[in-house]
Amino acid sequence: MPYIEFKGKQIEIDEDGYIQNLDDWSPELAEYMAQQDGITLTEHHWEVINFLRDYYQKYQIAPMIKILVKEMAKMFGPEKGNTKYLYGLFPDGPAKQACRYAGLPKPTGCV
């Protein structure tokens, strides 16, 4: 199984870069993973990441993009609950990329 080296520790990931042990996640690791993708996480990114972590804690599943957009709109309003806004933050796919940074499994329905 592949891994990433972070702060002297080997963190196991799958072939798509999702960490395998949710307890290995930290905000610093999320920052590191984003930097590897050329992204600097802002408060807007963190709103989505924290939303996803809360959603996962509640439902034990990472939401697919359709659900993410709908639930973000309920919580933050239509200006943040839309695909254009979310793709602006996470260009490789809001559900997939944000879940990876959030330390969650790959969302259902993502290829």
Side-chain angles (χ1 to χ4, degrees):
M1 186 87 28
Y3 66 89
I4 55 175
E5 189 79 34
F6 181 70
K7 291 192 172 183
K9 183 178 178 188
Q10 289 185 348
I11 297 174
E12 196 174 319
I13 56 172
D14 69 9
E15 62 280 351
D16 295 317
Y18 293 85
I19 65 173
Q20 296 301 288
N21 180 352
L22 300 180
D23 293 332
D24 285 338
W25 184 86
S26 69
E28 296 82 13
L29 178 59
E31 297 275 358
Y32 174 78
M33 293 170 81
Q35 287 173 357
Q36 298 305 301
D37 292 342
I39 293 175
T40 300
L41 297 180
T42 67
E43 66 181 81
H44 302 289
H45 291 93
W46 282 108
E47 278 180 340
V48 178
I49 291 167
N50 290 326
F51 173 84
L52 285 168
R53 290 186 59 80
D54 291 343
Y55 186 96
Y56 187 83
Q57 189 172 31
K58 186 174 182 181
Y59 299 107
Q60 296 300 298
I61 190 168
M64 64 178 96
I65 183 66
K66 185 169 113 178
I67 305 286
L68 174 60
V69 169
K70 180 180 172 187
E71 295 300 317
M72 286 285 297
K74 280 185 199 174
M75 180 167 273
F76 298 106
E79 64 281 348
K80 292 186 179 180
N82 66 72
T83 53
K84 183 177 180 182
Y85 173 79
L86 293 170
Y87 269 96
L89 294 173
F90 302 99
D92 288 344
K96 290 185 347 184
Q97 194 171 29
C99 280
R100 196 165 55 80
Y101 299 160
L104 304 178
K106 190 176 189 177
T108 55
C110 288
V111 234

